[in-house]
Coordinates of all heavy atoms in Angstrom, one line a residue:
L13 N 0.8 -1.2 0.0 CA 0.0 0.0 0.0 C 0.9 1.3 0.0 O 0.7 2.1 -0.8 CB -0.9 0.0 1.2 CG -1.8 1.2 1.4 CD1 -2.9 1.3 0.4 CD2 -2.4 1.2 2.8
L14 N 1.8 1.3 0.9 CA 2.6 2.6 1.0 C 3.9 2.5 0.2 O 4.6 3.5 0.0 CB 3.0 2.9 2.5 CG 1.8 3.2 3.4 CD1 2.3 3.5 4.8 CD2 1.1 4.5 2.9
A15 N 4.4 1.3 -0.1 CA 5.6 1.1 -0.9 C 6.8 1.7 -0.1 O 7.5 2.6 -0.7 CB 5.5 1.6 -2.3
V16 N 7.0 1.3 1.1 CA 8.1 1.9 1.9 C 9.1 0.7 2.2 O 8.8 -0.4 2.2 CB 7.7 2.5 3.2 CG1 6.8 3.7 2.9 CG2 6.9 1.6 4.1
E17 N 10.3 1.1 2.6 CA 11.3 0.1 3.0 C 11.0 -0.5 4.3 O 10.4 0.1 5.2 CB 12.7 0.8 3.1 CG 13.2 1.3 1.8 CD 14.6 1.9 1.9 OE1 15.3 1.6 2.9 OE2 15.0 2.7 1.1
E18 N 11.3 -1.7 4.5 CA 11.1 -2.4 5.7 C 11.9 -1.7 6.8 O 13.0 -1.2 6.7 CB 11.7 -3.9 5.6 CG 11.3 -4.7 6.8 CD 11.7 -6.1 6.7 OE1 11.8 -6.6 5.5 OE2 12.1 -6.8 7.7
G19 N 11.2 -1.5 8.0 CA 11.8 -0.8 9.1 C 11.4 0.7 9.1 O 11.8 1.4 10.1
T20 N 10.7 1.1 8.1 CA 10.2 2.5 8.1 C 9.3 2.7 9.3 O 8.3 2.0 9.4 CB 9.5 2.9 6.8 OG1 10.5 2.7 5.7 CG2 9.0 4.3 6.8
P21 N 9.5 3.7 10.2 CA 8.6 3.9 11.3 C 7.3 4.4 10.9 O 7.2 5.3 10.1 CB 9.3 4.9 12.2 CG 10.3 5.6 11.3 CD 10.6 4.6 10.2
L22 N 6.2 3.8 11.4 CA 4.8 4.2 11.2 C 4.2 4.4 12.5 O 4.4 3.7 13.5 CB 4.1 3.2 10.3 CG 4.6 2.9 8.9 CD1 3.9 1.7 8.3 CD2 4.6 4.1 8.1
Y23 N 3.3 5.4 12.6 CA 2.5 5.7 13.8 C 1.5 4.7 14.0 O 0.8 4.3 13.1 CB 1.9 7.1 13.7 CG 1.0 7.5 14.8 CD1 1.6 7.9 16.0 CD2 -0.3 7.6 14.6 CE1 0.8 8.2 17.1 CE2 -1.2 8.0 15.7 CZ -0.6 8.3 16.9 OH -1.4 8.7 17.9
R24 N 1.3 4.2 15.3 CA 0.2 3.4 15.7 C -0.5 4.1 16.8 O 0.1 4.4 17.8 CB 0.8 2.0 16.2 CG -0.3 1.1 16.6 CD 0.1 -0.3 16.9 NE 0.4 -0.9 15.5 CZ 1.3 -1.9 15.4 NH1 1.9 -2.4 16.4 NH2 1.5 -2.4 14.1
N25 N -1.8 4.3 16.6 CA -2.6 5.0 17.6 C -2.7 4.2 18.9 O -3.0 3.0 18.9 CB -3.9 5.5 17.0 CG -4.8 4.3 16.6 OD1 -4.3 3.3 16.1 ND2 -6.1 4.4 16.8
V26 N -2.5 4.9 20.0 CA -2.6 4.3 21.3 C -3.4 5.3 22.1 O -3.0 6.5 22.2 CB -1.3 4.1 22.0 CG1 -1.5 3.5 23.4 CG2 -0.4 3.1 21.2
G27 N -4.5 4.9 22.7 CA -5.4 5.8 23.4 C -4.9 6.3 24.7 O -4.1 5.6 25.3
C28 N -5.4 7.4 25.2 CA -5.1 7.9 26.5 C -6.3 8.8 26.9 O -7.2 9.1 26.1 CB -3.8 8.7 26.5 SG -3.9 10.3 25.5
P29 N -6.3 9.2 28.2 CA -7.4 10.1 28.6 C -7.5 11.4 27.9 O -8.6 11.9 27.6 CB -7.1 10.3 30.1 CG -6.3 9.2 30.5 CD -5.5 8.8 29.3
K30 N -6.4 11.9 27.5 CA -6.4 13.2 26.8 C -7.1 13.2 25.4 O -7.8 14.1 25.0 CB -4.9 13.7 26.6 CG -4.8 15.1 26.0 CD -3.4 15.5 25.9 CE -3.3 16.9 25.3 NZ -1.9 17.3 25.1
C31 N -7.0 12.0 24.7 CA -7.6 11.9 23.4 C -8.9 11.0 23.5 O -9.4 10.6 22.4 CB -6.6 11.3 22.4 SG -6.2 9.6 22.8
N32 N -9.4 10.8 24.7 CA -10.6 10.0 24.8 C -10.4 8.5 24.3 O -11.4 7.9 23.8 CB -11.9 10.6 24.2 CG -12.3 11.9 24.9 OD1 -12.2 11.9 26.1 ND2 -12.7 12.8 24.2
G33 N -9.2 8.0 24.4 CA -9.0 6.7 24.0 C -8.8 6.4 22.5 O -8.7 5.3 22.1
T34 N -8.8 7.5 21.7 CA -8.8 7.3 20.2 C -7.4 7.2 19.7 O -7.1 6.6 18.6 CB -9.5 8.4 19.5 OG1 -8.8 9.7 19.7 CG2 -10.9 8.6 19.9
G35 N -6.4 7.8 20.3 CA -5.1 7.9 19.8 C -4.8 9.1 18.9 O -3.8 9.2 18.3
Y36 N -5.9 9.9 18.7 CA -5.8 11.1 17.9 C -6.1 12.3 18.6 O -7.0 12.3 19.4 CB -6.7 10.9 16.7 CG -6.4 9.7 15.8 CD1 -7.2 8.5 16.0 CD2 -5.3 9.6 15.0 CE1 -7.0 7.4 15.2 CE2 -5.1 8.5 14.2 CZ -5.9 7.4 14.4 OH -5.6 6.3 13.6
A37 N -5.5 13.4 18.2 CA -5.9 14.7 18.8 C -5.7 15.8 17.7 O -4.7 15.8 17.0 CB -5.0 15.1 20.0
G38 N -6.7 16.6 17.5 CA -6.6 17.6 16.4 C -6.9 17.0 15.1 O -7.4 15.9 14.9
R39 N -6.6 17.9 14.1 CA -6.9 17.5 12.7 C -5.7 17.8 11.8 O -5.0 18.8 12.1 CB -8.2 18.2 12.2 CG -9.4 17.8 12.9 CD -10.6 18.6 12.4 NE -11.8 18.3 13.2 CZ -12.7 17.4 12.8 NH1 -12.6 16.9 11.6 NH2 -13.8 17.2 13.5
V40 N -5.6 17.1 10.7 CA -4.6 17.3 9.7 C -5.3 17.4 8.4 O -6.1 16.5 8.1 CB -3.5 16.2 9.8 CG1 -2.5 16.4 8.6 CG2 -2.8 16.2 11.1
A41 N -4.9 18.4 7.6 CA -5.5 18.5 6.2 C -4.9 17.4 5.3 O -3.7 17.3 5.2 CB -5.3 19.9 5.7
I42 N -5.8 16.7 4.6 CA -5.5 15.8 3.6 C -6.2 16.3 2.3 O -7.4 16.5 2.3 CB -6.0 14.3 3.9 CG1 -5.5 13.8 5.2 CG2 -5.6 13.4 2.7 CD1 -4.0 13.7 5.3
H43 N -5.4 16.6 1.3 CA -6.0 17.3 0.2 C -5.5 16.8 -1.2 O -4.5 16.1 -1.3 CB -5.7 18.8 0.3 CG -4.2 19.0 0.5 ND1 -3.6 19.0 1.7 CD2 -3.2 19.3 -0.4 CE1 -2.3 19.2 1.5 NE2 -2.0 19.4 0.3
E44 N -6.3 17.1 -2.2 CA -6.0 16.8 -3.5 C -6.0 18.2 -4.3 O -6.9 18.9 -4.2 CB -7.0 15.9 -4.1 CG -6.7 15.3 -5.4 CD -7.5 14.1 -5.8 OE1 -8.7 14.3 -6.0 OE2 -6.9 13.0 -5.8
V45 N -4.9 18.5 -4.9 CA -4.7 19.8 -5.6 C -4.5 19.6 -7.1 O -3.6 18.8 -7.5 CB -3.6 20.6 -5.0 CG1 -3.4 21.9 -5.7 CG2 -3.8 20.8 -3.5
M46 N -5.4 20.2 -7.9 CA -5.3 20.0 -9.3 C -5.2 21.4 -10.0 O -6.2 22.2 -9.9 CB -6.5 19.2 -9.9 CG -6.4 19.0 -11.4 SD -7.7 17.9 -12.0 CE -9.2 18.9 -11.6
H47 N -4.1 21.7 -10.6 CA -4.0 23.0 -11.3 C -4.6 22.9 -12.7 O -4.2 21.9 -13.4 CB -2.5 23.4 -11.4 CG -2.2 24.6 -12.2 ND1 -2.5 25.9 -11.7 CD2 -1.7 24.8 -13.4 CE1 -2.2 26.8 -12.6 NE2 -1.7 26.1 -13.6
I48 N -5.5 23.8 -13.0 CA -6.1 23.7 -14.4 C -5.2 24.5 -15.3 O -5.1 25.7 -15.2 CB -7.5 24.4 -14.3 CG1 -8.4 23.7 -13.3 CG2 -8.1 24.3 -15.7 CD1 -8.7 22.3 -13.6
N49 N -4.5 23.8 -16.2 CA -3.6 24.4 -17.2 C -4.3 24.2 -18.6 O -5.3 23.6 -18.7 CB -2.2 23.9 -17.1 CG -2.2 22.3 -17.3 OD1 -3.2 21.7 -17.7 ND2 -1.1 21.7 -16.9
R50 N -3.6 24.7 -19.6 CA -4.1 24.6 -21.0 C -4.5 23.2 -21.4 O -5.6 22.9 -21.9 CB -3.1 25.2 -21.9 CG -3.5 25.1 -23.4 CD -4.8 25.8 -23.8 NE -4.6 27.2 -23.7 CZ -5.5 28.1 -23.9 NH1 -6.8 27.7 -24.1 NH2 -5.3 29.4 -23.7
P51 N -3.6 22.2 -21.3 CA -4.0 20.8 -21.7 C -5.2 20.3 -21.0 O -6.1 19.7 -21.6 CB -2.7 20.0 -21.4 CG -1.6 20.9 -21.3 CD -2.2 22.2 -20.8
L52 N -5.3 20.6 -19.7 CA -6.4 20.1 -18.9 C -7.7 20.8 -19.3 O -8.8 20.2 -19.5 CB -6.2 20.2 -17.4 CG -7.1 19.5 -16.5 CD1 -7.3 18.0 -16.8 CD2 -6.7 19.6 -15.0
R53 N -7.6 22.1 -19.5 CA -8.7 23.0 -19.9 C -9.3 22.5 -21.3 O -10.5 22.3 -21.4 CB -8.3 24.4 -20.0 CG -9.5 25.3 -20.3 CD -9.1 26.8 -20.4 NE -8.3 27.2 -19.2 CZ -7.1 27.8 -19.3 NH1 -6.6 28.1 -20.5 NH2 -6.5 28.2 -18.3
D54 N -8.3 22.2 -22.2 CA -8.8 21.7 -23.5 C -9.5 20.4 -23.4 O -10.5 20.1 -24.0 CB -7.5 21.6 -24.4 CG -6.9 22.9 -24.8 OD1 -7.6 24.0 -24.6 OD2 -5.8 22.9 -25.3
A55 N -9.0 19.5 -22.6 CA -9.6 18.2 -22.4 C -11.0 18.3 -21.8 O -11.9 17.6 -22.1 CB -8.7 17.3 -21.5
I56 N -11.1 19.2 -20.8 CA -12.4 19.4 -20.2 C -13.4 19.9 -21.3 O -14.6 19.5 -21.4 CB -12.3 20.4 -19.0 CG1 -11.6 19.8 -17.9 CG2 -13.7 20.9 -18.6 CD1 -11.1 20.8 -16.8
Q57 N -13.0 20.9 -22.1 CA -13.9 21.4 -23.1 C -14.2 20.4 -24.2 O -15.3 20.4 -24.7 CB -13.2 22.6 -23.8 CG -13.1 23.8 -22.9 CD -12.4 25.0 -23.5 OE1 -11.6 24.8 -24.4 NE2 -12.7 26.2 -23.0
E58 N -13.3 19.4 -24.4 CA -13.6 18.3 -25.3 C -14.4 17.2 -24.7 O -14.6 16.2 -25.3 CB -12.3 17.8 -25.9 CG -11.6 18.8 -26.7 CD -10.2 18.3 -27.1 OE1 -9.8 17.2 -26.7 OE2 -9.4 19.2 -27.7
E59 N -14.8 17.4 -23.4 CA -15.6 16.4 -22.6 C -14.9 15.1 -22.5 O -15.5 14.0 -22.7 CB -17.0 16.3 -23.2 CG -17.8 17.6 -23.1 CD -19.2 17.5 -23.6 OE1 -19.7 16.4 -23.9 OE2 -19.8 18.5 -23.7
A60 N -13.6 15.1 -22.3 CA -12.8 13.9 -22.1 C -13.3 13.1 -20.9 O -13.9 13.7 -20.0 CB -11.3 14.3 -21.9
S61 N -13.0 11.9 -20.9 CA -13.4 11.0 -19.7 C -12.7 11.4 -18.5 O -11.6 12.0 -18.5 CB -13.1 9.5 -20.1 OG -11.7 9.3 -20.1
T62 N -13.2 10.9 -17.4 CA -12.6 11.2 -16.1 C -11.2 10.6 -16.0 O -10.3 11.3 -15.5 CB -13.5 10.6 -14.9 OG1 -14.8 11.1 -15.0 CG2 -12.9 10.8 -13.6
E63 N -11.0 9.4 -16.6 CA -9.7 8.8 -16.6 C -8.7 9.6 -17.3 O -7.5 9.8 -16.9 CB -9.8 7.4 -17.2 CG -10.6 6.4 -16.3 CD -12.1 6.6 -16.5 OE1 -12.6 7.2 -17.4 OE2 -12.8 6.1 -15.6
V64 N -9.1 10.2 -18.5 CA -8.2 11.0 -19.3 C -7.8 12.3 -18.5 O -6.7 12.7 -18.5 CB -8.8 11.3 -20.7 CG1 -8.0 12.4 -21.4 CG2 -8.9 10.1 -21.5
L65 N -8.9 12.9 -17.9 CA -8.6 14.1 -17.2 C -7.7 13.9 -16.0 O -6.7 14.6 -15.8 CB -9.9 14.7 -16.6 CG -10.9 15.2 -17.7 CD1 -12.2 15.6 -17.0 CD2 -10.3 16.3 -18.5
R66 N -7.9 12.7 -15.3 CA -7.0 12.4 -14.2 C -5.5 12.2 -14.7 O -4.6 12.7 -14.1 CB -7.5 11.1 -13.5 CG -6.6 10.8 -12.3 CD -6.9 9.4 -11.7 NE -6.7 8.4 -12.7 CZ -7.6 7.5 -13.1 NH1 -8.8 7.5 -12.7 NH2 -7.3 6.6 -14.1
D67 N -5.4 11.5 -15.8 CA -4.0 11.2 -16.3 C -3.3 12.5 -16.7 O -2.1 12.7 -16.4 CB -4.1 10.3 -17.5 CG -4.5 8.9 -17.1 OD1 -4.4 8.5 -15.9 OD2 -4.9 8.1 -18.0
I68 N -4.0 13.4 -17.3 CA -3.5 14.7 -17.7 C -3.1 15.5 -16.5 O -2.0 16.1 -16.4 CB -4.4 15.5 -18.6 CG1 -4.6 14.9 -19.9 CG2 -3.9 17.0 -18.8 CD1 -5.8 15.5 -20.8
A69 N -4.0 15.5 -15.5 CA -3.7 16.2 -14.2 C -2.4 15.7 -13.5 O -1.6 16.4 -13.1 CB -4.9 16.2 -13.3
I70 N -2.3 14.4 -13.4 CA -1.2 13.7 -12.8 C 0.1 14.1 -13.6 O 1.1 14.4 -13.0 CB -1.4 12.2 -12.7 CG1 -2.5 12.0 -11.6 CG2 -0.1 11.5 -12.3 CD1 -3.0 10.5 -11.5
Q71 N 0.0 14.0 -14.9 CA 1.2 14.3 -15.7 C 1.7 15.8 -15.5 O 2.9 16.1 -15.6 CB 0.9 14.1 -17.2 CG 0.8 12.7 -17.6 CD 0.3 12.6 -19.0 OE1 0.1 13.5 -19.7 NE2 0.0 11.3 -19.4
N72 N 0.7 16.6 -15.1 CA 1.1 18.0 -14.9 C 1.3 18.4 -13.4 O 1.2 19.5 -13.0 CB 0.0 18.9 -15.5 CG 0.1 18.9 -17.0 OD1 1.0 19.6 -17.6 ND2 -0.8 18.2 -17.7
G73 N 1.5 17.3 -12.6 CA 1.9 17.6 -11.2 C 0.8 17.6 -10.1 O 1.0 18.1 -9.0
M74 N -0.4 17.1 -10.5 CA -1.5 17.1 -9.5 C -1.1 16.3 -8.2 O -0.5 15.2 -8.3 CB -2.7 16.4 -10.1 CG -3.9 16.4 -9.1 SD -5.4 15.7 -9.8 CE -5.1 13.9 -9.4
M75 N -1.4 16.9 -7.1 CA -1.1 16.2 -5.8 C -2.4 15.3 -5.5 O -3.4 15.9 -5.3 CB -0.9 17.2 -4.7 CG -1.0 16.6 -3.3 SD 0.3 15.4 -2.9 CE 1.6 16.5 -2.3
R76 N -2.2 14.0 -5.7 CA -3.4 13.1 -5.4 C -3.7 13.0 -4.0 O -2.8 13.1 -3.1 CB -3.1 11.7 -6.0 CG -2.9 11.8 -7.5 CD -2.6 10.4 -8.1 NE -1.5 9.7 -7.4 CZ -1.4 8.4 -7.3 NH1 -2.2 7.6 -7.8 NH2 -0.4 7.9 -6.6
L77 N -4.9 12.6 -3.6 CA -5.3 12.4 -2.3 C -4.5 11.3 -1.7 O -4.0 11.4 -0.5 CB -6.8 12.0 -2.2 CG -7.4 11.9 -0.8 CD1 -7.4 13.2 -0.1 CD2 -8.8 11.3 -0.9
F78 N -4.2 10.2 -2.4 CA -3.4 9.1 -1.9 C -2.0 9.6 -1.5 O -1.5 9.3 -0.4 CB -3.2 8.0 -3.0 CG -2.3 7.0 -2.6 CD1 -2.7 5.9 -1.9 CD2 -0.9 7.0 -2.9 CE1 -1.9 4.9 -1.5 CE2 -0.1 6.0 -2.6 CZ -0.5 4.9 -1.8
D79 N -1.4 10.4 -2.4 CA 0.0 10.9 -2.1 C 0.0 11.9 -0.9 O 0.9 11.8 -0.1 CB 0.5 11.7 -3.3 CG 0.7 10.8 -4.5 OD1 1.0 9.6 -4.3 OD2 0.4 11.2 -5.7
S80 N -1.0 12.7 -0.8 CA -1.1 13.6 0.4 C -1.2 12.8 1.7 O -0.5 13.1 2.7 CB -2.3 14.6 0.2 OG -2.4 15.4 1.3
C81 N -2.1 11.8 1.6 CA -2.3 11.0 2.8 C -1.1 10.2 3.1 O -0.7 10.0 4.3 CB -3.5 10.1 2.6 SG -4.3 9.6 4.1
R82 N -0.4 9.6 2.1 CA 0.8 8.8 2.3 C 1.9 9.7 3.0 O 2.5 9.2 4.0 CB 1.3 8.3 1.0 CG 2.6 7.5 1.1 CD 3.0 7.0 -0.3 NE 4.2 6.1 -0.2 CZ 5.4 6.6 -0.2 NH1 5.7 7.9 -0.2 NH2 6.4 5.7 -0.1
E83 N 2.1 10.9 2.6 CA 3.0 11.8 3.2 C 2.7 12.0 4.7 O 3.6 12.0 5.6 CB 3.1 13.2 2.6 CG 3.8 13.2 1.3 CD 3.9 14.6 0.7 OE1 3.6 15.6 1.4 OE2 4.1 14.7 -0.5
T84 N 1.4 12.2 5.0 CA 1.0 12.4 6.4 C 1.2 11.1 7.2 O 1.7 11.3 8.4 CB -0.5 12.7 6.4 OG1 -0.7 13.9 5.5 CG2 -1.0 13.1 7.8
V85 N 1.1 10.0 6.7 CA 1.4 8.7 7.4 C 2.9 8.6 7.6 O 3.3 8.3 8.7 CB 0.8 7.5 6.6 CG1 1.4 6.2 7.2 CG2 -0.7 7.5 6.6
L86 N 3.7 8.9 6.6 CA 5.1 8.7 6.7 C 5.7 9.8 7.7 O 6.8 9.5 8.2 CB 5.8 8.8 5.4 CG 5.4 7.6 4.4 CD1 6.1 7.7 3.1 CD2 5.8 6.2 5.1
E87 N 5.0 10.9 7.8 CA 5.5 11.9 8.8 C 5.0 11.6 10.2 O 5.2 12.4 11.1 CB 5.0 13.3 8.3 CG 5.7 13.8 7.1 CD 5.1 15.0 6.5 OE1 4.0 15.5 7.0 OE2 5.6 15.5 5.5
C88 N 4.3 10.5 10.4 CA 3.7 10.0 11.6 C 2.7 10.9 12.2 O 2.6 11.0 13.5 CB 4.9 9.7 12.6 SG 5.9 8.4 12.1
F89 N 1.9 11.6 11.4 CA 0.8 12.4 11.9 C -0.5 11.6 12.0 O -1.4 12.0 12.6 CB 0.6 13.6 11.0 CG 1.6 14.7 11.1 CD1 2.4 15.0 10.0 CD2 1.8 15.4 12.3 CE1 3.4 16.0 10.1 CE2 2.7 16.4 12.4 CZ 3.5 16.7 11.3
T90 N -0.5 10.5 11.2 CA -1.7 9.6 11.3 C -1.3 8.2 11.0 O -0.1 7.9 10.8 CB -2.8 10.1 10.3 OG1 -4.0 9.5 10.6 CG2 -2.4 9.9 8.9
T91 N -2.3 7.3 11.0 CA -2.0 5.9 10.8 C -2.4 5.4 9.5 O -3.2 6.0 8.7 CB -2.8 5.1 11.9 OG1 -4.2 5.3 11.7 CG2 -2.4 5.5 13.3
V92 N -1.9 4.2 9.1 CA -2.3 3.5 7.9 C -3.8 3.3 7.9 O -4.5 3.5 6.9 CB -1.5 2.2 7.7 CG1 -2.0 1.5 6.4 CG2 0.0 2.5 7.5
S93 N -4.4 2.9 9.0 CA -5.8 2.6 9.1 C -6.6 3.9 8.8 O -7.7 3.8 8.1 CB -6.2 2.0 10.4 OG -6.0 2.9 11.5
E94 N -6.2 5.0 9.2 CA -6.9 6.3 8.9 C -6.7 6.6 7.4 O -7.7 7.1 6.8 CB -6.4 7.4 9.8 CG -6.9 7.4 11.2 CD -8.4 7.5 11.3 OE1 -8.9 8.5 10.8 OE2 -9.1 6.7 11.9
M95 N -5.6 6.3 6.9 CA -5.4 6.5 5.4 C -6.3 5.7 4.6 O -7.0 6.2 3.7 CB -3.9 6.2 5.1 CG -3.7 6.3 3.6 SD -2.0 5.9 3.2 CE -2.0 6.0 1.4
V96 N -6.5 4.4 5.0 CA -7.4 3.5 4.3 C -8.8 4.1 4.3 O -9.5 4.1 3.3 CB -7.2 2.1 4.8 CG1 -8.4 1.2 4.2 CG2 -5.9 1.5 4.5
K97 N -9.2 4.5 5.5 CA -10.6 5.0 5.7 C -10.8 6.3 4.8 O -11.9 6.5 4.3 CB -10.9 5.3 7.1 CG -11.1 4.1 8.0 CD -11.7 4.4 9.3 CE -10.9 5.3 10.2 NZ -11.5 5.4 11.6
T98 N -9.7 7.1 4.7 CA -9.9 8.4 4.0 C -9.8 8.2 2.5 O -10.6 8.7 1.7 CB -8.7 9.3 4.4 OG1 -8.9 9.5 5.8 CG2 -8.8 10.6 3.7
V99 N -8.8 7.4 2.0 CA -8.5 7.3 0.6 C -9.5 6.3 -0.1 O -9.9 6.5 -1.2 CB -7.1 6.9 0.3 CG1 -6.8 6.6 -1.1 CG2 -6.1 7.9 0.9
Y100 N -9.9 5.3 0.6 CA -10.7 4.2 0.0 C -12.1 4.2 0.5 O -12.8 3.3 0.3 CB -10.0 2.9 0.2 CG -8.7 2.8 -0.4 CD1 -7.5 2.8 0.4 CD2 -8.5 2.7 -1.7 CE1 -6.3 2.8 -0.1 CE2 -7.2 2.7 -2.3 CZ -6.1 2.7 -1.5 OH -4.9 2.7 -2.0
A101 N -12.6 5.3 1.1 CA -13.9 5.4 1.6 C -14.9 5.4 0.4 O -14.7 6.0 -0.6 CB -14.1 6.7 2.4
R102 N -16.0 4.8 0.7 CA -17.1 4.7 -0.3 C -18.3 5.3 0.2 O -18.7 5.1 1.4 CB -17.4 3.2 -0.7 CG -16.2 2.5 -1.2 CD -16.0 2.8 -2.7 NE -15.0 2.0 -3.2 CZ -13.8 2.4 -3.7 NH1 -13.6 3.7 -3.8 NH2 -12.9 1.6 -4.2
D103 N -19.0 6.2 -0.5 CA -20.2 6.8 -0.1 C -21.4 5.9 -0.3 O -21.5 5.1 -1.1 CB -20.5 8.1 -0.8 CG -19.4 9.2 -0.4 OD1 -19.0 9.1 0.7 OD2 -19.2 10.1 -1.2

């Protein structure tokens, strides 16, 4: 899932009275940022598929939700289980 080297430290939530037993306190922004540039604008106007739009955006440096969340996990601000709930949540 994270494609990290063995031994990479990851945060594991452990509850305490301060966090009401959740292991978490506060909030951290997890975001997806897509800059609309000429190639992406043209594809939107041509009514390209979602897959094509995503590929163009990624090629032009879009920060995907997965990548943003992965960074947060590797910085030990949250856990892999929270990443899975955030990135792979279904409505």
Side-chain angles (χ1 to χ4, degrees):
L13 175 71
L14 294 178
V16 296
E17 293 182 22
E18 188 174 329
T20 299
L22 299 174
Y23 175 73
R24 178 170 288 156
N25 61 322
V26 178
C28 68
K30 185 176 180 182
C31 68
N32 293 324
T34 65
Y36 302 102
R39 296 180 183 257
V40 175
I42 305 297
H43 52 275
E44 190 163 68
V45 178
M46 179 174 64
H47 176 74
I48 306 295
N49 57 14
R50 173 63 68 187
L52 191 55
R53 185 179 312 126
D54 292 345
I56 291 168
Q57 289 176 339
E58 294 169 7
E59 298 181 9
S61 69
T62 302
E63 293 79 18
V64 169
L65 296 175
R66 182 190 62 235
D67 291 345
I68 293 170
I70 290 170
Q71 290 170 4
N72 287 284
M74 179 178 89
M75 168 65 86
R76 299 180 307 154
L77 185 65
F78 174 88
D79 298 323
S80 178
C81 202
R82 181 180 184 273
E83 283 182 19
T84 306
V85 169
L86 295 177
E87 292 170 356
C88 296
F89 286 117
T90 194
T91 62
V92 173
S93 64
E94 285 296 304
M95 177 181 176
V96 168
K97 287 194 301 189
T98 301
V99 174
Y100 300 104
R102 302 281 187 238
D103 290 333

